[in-house]
Amino acid sequence: MAKTILTIDDSKAVRDMVMFTLEPEGYRVVAAENGSEGLDVMRAECPALVITDLNMPVMNGLDFITNARTEPAGTGIPIVMLTTESSPEMKEKGKAAGATGWINKPFDADKLIAVTRKLLG
């Protein structure tokens, strides 16, 4: 059975690019448009990995991570930030919230695949 990956981004183009990159590698990708919707999808789907944007309406990526880490479905899974934000301060905030890794946009498909394989085995 394919491992499920949740991608959270307010940009449909980015969500689609993550799907187009990871689905041919044998992963099942589900999507949400913001952190609040992401929490609902995470609870329903119990993904093996979450890839989330930082800057989104309704609930941003840091708030998503903070909330996800308090949920049974989000306690043990890797969460990767996929964002244009690259400052060391913001990366530190992500790590403090519980982010497992950080990939800058625009992302390299091979790098996303490599990170996914490393985190999911």
Side-chain angles (χ1 to χ4, degrees):
M1 188 165 153
K3 290 184 179 176
T4 300
I5 297 169
L6 167 59
T7 182
I8 308 169
D9 202 298
D10 55 321
S11 166
K12 182 176 181 342
V14 172
R15 292 191 311 269
D16 287 348
M17 285 298 300
V18 171
M19 285 184 188
F20 296 151
T21 300
L22 296 177
E23 285 182 343
E25 299 300 313
Y27 299 104
R28 177 176 169 260
V29 180
V30 294
E33 294 182 21
N34 60 63
S36 179
E37 186 180 312
L39 286 172
D40 291 339
V41 175
M42 183 188 72
R43 290 178 194 121
E45 297 287 342
C46 296
L49 170 68
V50 176
I51 300 169
T52 184
D53 189 14
L54 174 61
N55 298 310
M56 298 176 287
V58 183
M59 180 186 289
N60 69 34
L62 290 178
D63 290 341
F64 165 79
I65 294 170
T66 300
N67 283 286
R69 292 302 188 205
T70 67
E71 301 257 341
T75 53
I77 61 172
I79 301 176
V80 175
M81 298 292 298
L82 177 63
T83 180
T84 56
E85 181 65 57
S86 62
S87 74
E89 297 82 19
M90 193 54 72
K91 287 181 180 180
E92 193 54 44
K93 285 182 181 180
K95 185 177 179 180
T100 309
W102 198 281
I103 299 174
N104 289 331
K105 291 179 188 173
F107 68 90
D108 176 73
D110 291 335
K111 181 176 182 177
L112 182 62
I113 292 166
V115 168
T116 301
R117 285 182 180 154
K118 180 177 181 180
L119 292 171
L120 296 183

